[in-house]
Amino acid sequence: MTDIRSLISQMTLAEKAALCTGATAWTTTPVERLGIPELLVSDGPHGLRRLEDLNALGAESLPATCFPTASCLASTWDPDLLRTMGNALAEEAIALNVGVILGPGVNMKRSPLGGRNFEYFSEDPYLAGEMATALIEGIQSKGVGTSLKHFAVNNQEFQRFSISAEVDERTLREIYLPAFETAVKRARPWTVMCSYNKINGTYGSENTYLLTDILKKEWGFEGFVVSDWGAVHDRVRSLAAGLDLEMPGPQDRRVAAVMTAVREGQLDEAVLDEAVRRILTVAFKAAQTPKGGTFDAAAHHALAHKVAGEGMVLLKNDGLLPLRDQQHIAVIGRAAAEAHFQGGGSSHINPTQVDVPFKELKARAPEVELTYAEGYPADDSFSQALIDQAVVLAQAADVTVLHIALPSYKESEGYDRKDLDLTAQQVALIQAVAEVQPKTVVVLNNGAPVAMSAWIDAVPAVLEAWMMGQAGASAIADVLFGKLNPSGKLAETYPLRLADTPAVGNWPGGAGAVRYGEGLYIGYRYYDLKDMPVLFPFGHGLSYTTFAYSNARVSATTFKDVDGVTVSVDVTNTGAVVGQEIVQVYVHDAVAGLDRPAKELKGFAKVALAPGETKTVSIALGFRAFAYYHPEHKQWITESGAFDLLIGASAADIRQTVSVTLESTLDLPCLLDTESTLREWMTDPRGQAVLGPLFAQIQSKTQALFGGGEQAAIGLDMMEMLGDMPVVSVLMFLARALDQHPEDIVAGMLAQVHGKA
Ligand code: BGC
C-alpha cells in the first residue's frame, strides 16, 4: 500500500498544483521522482473513445465495442446485464490502457428535447440510479474506474456551458440528485464529473454546496471530482469548492494561479493537499490493474447484441409481428443499409464491426425475397422520387419493414432538438407506404421520443430499436422474426406532442437562466398530475406473450419506516412463448404534509417465464421508498399513515394494489416559530398539545367576535377561515379578552414545544 500522506509531504507546491490539472487532454501529471503514475481517462459512457493522440480532443479513436446508448440500456431494466456490460467495458479499458472510463451519465431527462438524452437513462431518478449503480459496479469490479457525470442538473445543451439551472431544494433532492446519490453511496465511483452549467447561480465546477457539502460530506464520496472538459473558470475558486482535477490539460497559467494563491494565503494548502490525496488515491488504485493485452471483440460484439435485444421496446403490435411465412419483404429506409447505432459528440465510438440491418434480415430468411429502397435522403432535403420508389416496392411485397433513423442533424450532443418530429420526408414516407401496404412495421433508431400521431394509426407495428450499438441490427432481425421475444420497456414517457411535455414554458430558458418551474413533476409524475393522455407511458413495452398478475401481498400491513416492507406478486405467462416481464412497483402516499406526485417508482424486477409458468416476484421497499425531502427540516422524512403500493406493467397499467400503514420512527425537530399559523400549530402533535387547550378558548372568543348566531347561519368553519393566520395575529384580535399579551403567550408556547419551558 502506498503511503499517500507521506508522498504528499514530499511533493513540492509546484508538483501538487500540477497534479490537480491534466498533463494532456486525457492524462494526469506523473511525478517520476516519487513514483507517482499518470492516470489515463477516456470517454464513455457506452464504449471506449480512446484517442491515440492524448493531446487531441476529437480525432478518430481506437476501435472499441459500441454498446447501445443509455436510453436502450435503461429500457432493459436489467441491472445484472449492465453489470456484465460493465465487465466488458473494463476489459476494453484495460486493453486500451485506460484507468477511468468517463461515464455513466445519470442526468434526468427533464424534456425529451435534451440533446444528450440518448446518453442518459431515464426521466425517473430511481431507475437511473439502479442502472448506473450496476454499470459502475461492473466496470469497477475489474479494477477500472468510472466517472459519474454530469454533476449536476445538466439537462439541456442550450447554453450548456453557462446557463444557470434554477431549481428548488426539494426538486433538487428528489429528482435531480437521487440517481447520483444512489450510485455514489452504493457503487462508489472512483470519480465524479461536474457539470458545465451553473446551479442556482454557481457553476458546477465552483459549487461548494454540491461538490463538498452534499457529495463529499453528506454522501461520503471518497474519490476525486473532475471537471467536465473546459468547465473550470476560476481554478482557485474551484479547488476551494471541492473540484479536485481540472481537465483537459495542460493549463500552465492555472497551475501558477494555484501556487500563487497558496503562497499569498488565499488558498489553504490543506485544500490543495486534500485534492492531491484524492487524485493520488485513484491514480495508484488504477495503476494496480495491469494494463495492455487485447479484448475479445467477438464476445463483446455478442454481448452488445444481447444488450440491444433486451433493450428494444415493442411499442405497438396488432399481431403482425413476429414475421412468419412471408415470401417477399420490402425493406425500406436508409437506416436498413447503414445502421444508425450511436449518437454524435464525446460518446462517439469507432466500432470494431457494425451489423447491417438488411444483411441481418437476409441472413435469417435466406429463402425470402428481400428488396430494398432508400426511402429518404441523408440530409434534410425532400425527395418525392425516393418515396415513389419505396411505394412501388412496398406494394409488391407481402410486408414492409421501414427503418427510420432520426438523423444526427436532429439529435446530438451539443444542441437540443427543436421538436419531437421525424423529418418531413420520413413522415411522408411512412404515410405513403402504409397507405399501399397495410402490413408495415416501423423500426425506429433514435435516442429519445419522437411524435407519431401523424402515422401511428396507419401502421400495425412499431419497434423502438434506439441508438442500438454496433450489434443492434442483428437484434432487430431476431425480434422481427421472433427468434427473440422483446422484453424492453420504456424508461421515459412518449408524449403525444411537444406541447404536452413538462418543461414546456420553462425551456430552454434565456438571459442566463432556466427555471425548473415544473418542480418535481417531470416525466410520468407530470402526466399523472395533469391526468393527460400520452402516446406510450413510462414502463410500457409489449411482448409476444402475455402476463397475468395475481395474489399481491405484503410482508406486513403495518411496518416501521426503518424496517421497510416487502411486496410480492405472482406473475404468470399466459401466452404461448417464453417471455420476460418487467414488474414495476410504484408508491402512492395517501396523505402527505407537502404536495407529492401521485405515484413514484420505487422497485422493479425482470422475470423470465415459460408458457404457463408462474413465479413470485418480491420487491423490498425501504425507508426512502416512502420518504420525501422536507426543505424546512432539510432532510428526508417519513410521515406515519397510509400508502398504496401499486404493482404494474407500466405507469399506466397498474394490475394490483396493496394498502399498507407506515409508522414513522423519526423524531423531527419542531418547526413552529413566532410566525407559525393556527393550522401549523394544530397539525404538529407537540403544537396541538400546547395550543389545543387554548384553541377551544380562542374558538369561542373568535365566535363571540364574529357574532355567534350569524356565523352559525353561514356555517363558518373557524379552521378554514383562520387556519392560515399566524397564531399571534389571531390572538391580537382577542387581545382585550386575554390576560397576557399575545406575543408573550406565543413565546411561552414556543418555549414549551421546544422543550425550554
Ligand atoms: C462532455 C463529457 C465528456 C468530455 C470529454 C465533454 O464535452 O460533456 O461528457 O466526458 O467532454 O470528452
Side-chain angles (χ1 to χ4, degrees):
M1 263 306 266
T2 317
D3 184 347
I4 301 231
R5 291 205 186 272
S6 132
L7 267 183
I8 297 173
S9 68
Q10 296 169 60
M11 290 172 80
T12 63
L13 178 60
E15 285 167 342
K16 291 193 281 193
L19 184 76
C20 295
T21 296
T24 69
W26 308 104
T27 51
T28 60
T29 312
V31 185
E32 271 171 42
R33 73 176 185 94
L34 296 173
I36 293 174
E38 74 171 17
L39 172 69
L40 198 159
V41 303
S42 266
D43 284 311
H46 45 264
L48 269 295
R49 187 174 73 95
R50 161 72 157 94
L51 299 177
E52 206 153 24
D53 175 358
L54 294 172
N55 286 305
L57 286 165
E60 180 164 90
S61 50
L62 298 170
T65 308
C66 180
F67 288 91
T69 79
S71 309
C72 179
L73 302 183
S75 305
T76 68
W77 298 64
D78 189 342
D80 287 340
L81 185 60
L82 262 66
R83 235 169 256 124
T84 308
M85 175 179 148
N87 292 165
L89 287 174
E91 284 165 18
E92 300 200 11
I94 288 167
L96 298 174
N97 194 29
V98 171
V100 168
I101 299 174
L102 301 176
V106 282
N107 295 94
M108 288 295 100
K109 305 195 194 206
R110 176 179 175 235
S111 162
L113 296 180
R116 294 186 86 168
N117 280 13
F118 71 90
E119 282 185 68
Y120 297 139
F121 293 110
S122 182
E123 67 188 22
D124 181 83
Y126 177 80
L127 179 56
E130 293 301 308
M131 302 317 271
T133 297
L135 196 59
I136 294 169
E137 284 171 351
I139 295 170
Q140 295 193 167
S141 67
K142 296 258 175 184
V144 172
T146 57
S147 196
L148 184 65
K149 65 190 186 183
H150 307 88
F151 191 62
V153 207
N154 180 200
N155 312 99
Q156 64 184 58
E157 296 301 273
F158 174 73
Q159 295 184 353
R160 69 163 158 156
F161 298 101
S162 57
I163 204 155
S164 176
E166 302 286 319
V167 57
D168 67 83
E169 181 70 13
R170 184 171 168 214
T171 301
L172 184 68
R173 296 291 193 149
E174 289 189 26
I175 301 293
Y176 294 98
L177 293 187
F180 287 100
E181 182 183 1
T182 301
V184 165
K185 287 182 174 169
R186 291 228 314 261
R188 302 179 175 277
W190 292 7
T191 83
V192 166
M193 187 190 292
C194 80
S195 57
Y196 282 128
N197 50 289
K198 300 188 190 99
I199 302 93
N200 294 328
T202 306
Y203 280 114
S205 59
E206 294 176 11
N207 208 303
T208 309
Y209 181 55
L210 285 176
L211 303 184
T212 298
D213 299 345
I214 294 183
L215 177 66
K216 292 181 178 173
K217 291 193 182 150
E218 209 181 299
W219 299 347
F221 173 64
E222 263 304 315
F224 69 73
V225 178
V226 59
S227 70
D228 198 346
W229 268 229
V232 170
H233 298 263
D234 181 317
R235 186 61 188 109
V236 175
R237 237 184 358 231
S238 66
L239 255 176
L243 188 287
D244 305 300
L245 173 66
E246 172 181 13
M247 289 300 274
Q251 310 276 358
D252 298 344
R253 261 174 81 143
R254 299 270 171 96
V255 174
V258 169
M259 291 169 66
T260 307
V262 171
R263 282 199 194 106
E264 293 180 357
Q266 286 133 12
L267 181 73
D268 187 346
E269 193 162 357
V271 171
L272 180 62
D273 286 354
E274 171 63 3
V276 168
R277 182 189 71 78
R278 287 173 179 266
I279 296 168
L280 288 184
T281 306
V282 172
F284 278 103
K285 192 148 63 166
Q288 274 171 18
T289 306
K291 305 289 192 309
T294 53
F295 60 88
D296 188 342
H300 290 185
H301 185 78
L303 179 61
H305 165 90
K306 163 96 177 142
V307 176
E310 295 278 317
M312 283 181 191
V313 181
L314 184 59
L315 294 174
K316 175 175 181 178
N317 185 19
D318 291 350
L320 176 60
L321 293 179
L323 299 177
R324 50 176 96 80
D325 307 328
Q326 282 85 13
Q327 298 306 306
H328 178 184
I329 302 176
V331 182
I332 293 168
R334 50 184 306 115
E338 212 176 290
H340 182 71
F341 60 97
Q342 64 174 328
S346 58
S347 70
H348 199 88
I349 288 146
N350 176 15
T352 57
Q353 68 179 92
V354 180
D355 289 351
V356 176
F358 185 85
K359 287 191 190 153
E360 296 299 328
L361 289 171
K362 187 79 203 154
R364 279 158 188 77
E367 70 296 348
V368 174
E369 185 188 354
L370 246 64
T371 48
Y372 169 74
E374 189 179 329
Y376 56 92
D379 58 20
D380 62 352
S381 61
F382 191 92
S383 161
Q384 187 59 43
L386 288 181
I387 294 178
D388 294 343
Q389 253 174 37
V391 165
V392 172
L393 274 197
Q395 222 158 6
D398 302 325
V399 64
T400 297
V401 178
L402 267 173
H403 287 263
I404 304 290
L406 192 65
S408 308
Y409 62 80
K410 275 178 102 51
E411 183 182 31
S412 167
E413 176 179 346
Y415 46 90
D416 294 317
R417 290 196 294 162
K418 294 187 180 56
D419 50 53
L420 300 180
D421 303 329
L422 297 172
T423 69
Q425 167 103 14
Q426 288 171 334
V427 172
L429 173 73
I430 300 171
Q431 288 169 335
V433 165
E435 203 172 309
V436 299
Q437 177 51 272
K439 292 186 176 170
T440 291
V441 185
V442 173
V443 177
L444 293 167
N445 289 120
N446 48 303
V450 291
M452 301 180 200
S453 301
W455 51 266
I456 184 108
D457 291 340
V459 299
V462 182
L463 176 67
E464 177 54 84
W466 305 114
M467 290 181 180
M468 56 193 178
Q470 64 180 52
S474 47
I476 291 177
D478 283 348
V479 170
L480 293 184
F481 288 120
K483 202 172 156 222
L484 175 69
N485 187 355
S487 61
K489 291 197 178 191
L490 293 177
E492 58 201 291
T493 309
Y494 273 45
L496 281 164
R497 51 190 193 135
L498 181 58
D500 292 348
T501 58
V504 155
N506 288 301
W507 175 277
V514 50
R515 201 172 69 84
Y516 283 39
E518 70 288 349
L520 304 170
Y521 297 95
I522 69 165
Y524 64 87
R525 290 165 170 79
Y526 178 78
Y527 300 105
D528 275 352
L529 176 75
K530 303 289 261 189
D531 194 13
M532 196 186 270
V534 298
L535 179 60
F536 296 111
F538 175 86
H540 166 80
L542 302 173
S543 163
Y544 295 148
T545 186
T546 46
F547 302 98
Y549 291 53
S550 61
N551 197 22
R553 56 215 183 263
V554 280
S555 52
T557 47
T558 299
F559 61 95
K560 290 193 170 56
D561 53 4
V562 284
D563 298 336
V565 70
T566 297
V567 58
S568 302
V569 67
D570 296 340
V571 185
T572 306
N573 181 343
T574 48
V577 289
V578 174
Q580 298 184 90
E581 172 67 330
I582 295 162
V583 178
Q584 301 150 45
V585 176
Y586 299 86
V587 173
H588 163 74
D589 190 350
V591 186
L594 294 181
D595 201 27
R596 295 191 76 175
K599 64 174 178 299
E600 299 186 274
L601 182 77
K602 297 299 174 184
F604 62 86
K606 191 169 185 174
V607 58
L609 294 163
E613 191 184 6
T614 299
K615 277 184 190 161
T616 298
V617 168
S618 291
I619 292 167
L621 301 168
F623 177 93
R624 279 289 284 270
F626 301 94
Y628 69 91
Y629 189 85
H630 198 292
E632 285 177 302
H633 284 298
K634 299 192 192 321
Q635 72 177 83
W636 289 87
I637 68 156
T638 50
E639 291 170 329
S640 296
F643 288 81
D644 291 327
L645 311 180
L646 315 174
I647 306 165
S650 84
D653 184 7
I654 301 304
R655 303 285 183 89
Q656 303 252 291
T657 300
V658 195
S659 297
V660 290
T661 303
L662 175 137
E663 288 173 1
S664 178
T665 56
L666 292 180
D667 183 18
L668 293 170
C670 177
L671 292 175
L672 295 170
D673 62 20
T674 50
E675 294 301 311
S676 295
T677 64
L678 193 55
R679 197 188 319 277
E680 286 164 345
W681 274 88
M682 292 307 283
T683 45
D684 183 303
R686 284 157 294 205
Q688 198 179 27
V690 174
L691 182 61
L694 199 66
F695 185 62
Q697 251 182 319
I698 293 175
Q699 212 167 4
S700 63
K701 284 182 179 162
T702 43
Q703 273 170 7
L705 197 77
F706 282 88
E710 189 189 333
Q711 183 207 127
I714 58 170
L716 194 64
D717 180 326
M718 279 294 119
M719 192 48 119
E720 280 304 311
M721 170 83 180
L722 302 178
D724 290 327
M725 200 181 237
V727 164
V728 72
S729 308
V730 176
L731 296 178
M732 286 293 185
F733 283 113
L734 311 169
R736 271 182 301 134
L738 299 169
D739 319 333
Q740 253 184 307
H741 191 276
E743 285 169 2
D744 295 338
I745 296 178
V746 172
M749 294 194 311
L750 284 172
Q752 269 181 277
V753 294
H754 292 297
K756 290 177 192 146

